[in-house]
Amino acid sequence: MTVRIRSLLTSGPIMVSLNSGRTVRLSPGRWSAELRDAELADNAKVDRLSRRGDIEVERSDEESGASAAREDSAAQEAPAAQDDTGASKGPRTRKRTDSTG
């Protein structure tokens, strides 16, 4: 089984540490390459980023030979997903407000 990660942030890259020790750098709104599911299994940082809404994890049970069909379906779903995420949650940024004034 393979997985992909997408950054839901609107500004700045996000770094995701994998179980193998490698790190994936994701630009805002971009998907990672396909990864083995073992890279994310029981990964506390990935779980925390997902709960906060900073990343989305897509799991796939398909064989690697069916990647073209998956890309076609993702292309059809992408516009609806972008409209939905922007309307329901609003943009995510890393900027912090300074309350000291």
Side-chain angles (χ1 to χ4, degrees):
M1 180 162 49
T2 60
V3 295
R4 293 190 319 162
I5 307 168
R6 181 173 69 130
S7 172
L8 298 176
L9 297 177
T10 59
S11 66
I14 189 168
M15 303 296 280
V16 180
S17 300
L18 305 176
N19 291 337
S20 64
R22 294 185 317 161
T23 302
V24 174
R25 179 188 183 275
L26 297 173
S27 296
R30 296 298 210 161
W31 285 98
S32 70
E34 289 188 353
L35 305 165
R36 295 179 321 142
D37 61 338
E39 293 283 12
L40 302 182
D42 299 323
N43 187 319
K45 181 168 184 169
V46 170
D47 292 340
R48 185 182 75 232
L49 290 170
S50 182
R51 278 194 313 266
R52 286 179 27 190
D54 291 343
I55 63 170
E56 173 185 355
V57 177
E58 176 186 80
R59 300 188 186 276
S60 173
D61 293 329
E62 300 174 15
E63 294 292 322
S64 60
S67 61
R70 184 172 42 248
E71 289 175 10
D72 289 341
S73 65
Q76 292 174 356
E77 294 174 9
Q82 289 174 353
D83 293 340
D84 183 42
T85 56
S88 63
K89 293 185 180 180
R92 298 261 316 161
T93 64
R94 290 181 179 236
K95 296 178 183 175
R96 296 185 181 183
T97 58
D98 189 17
S99 60
T100 59

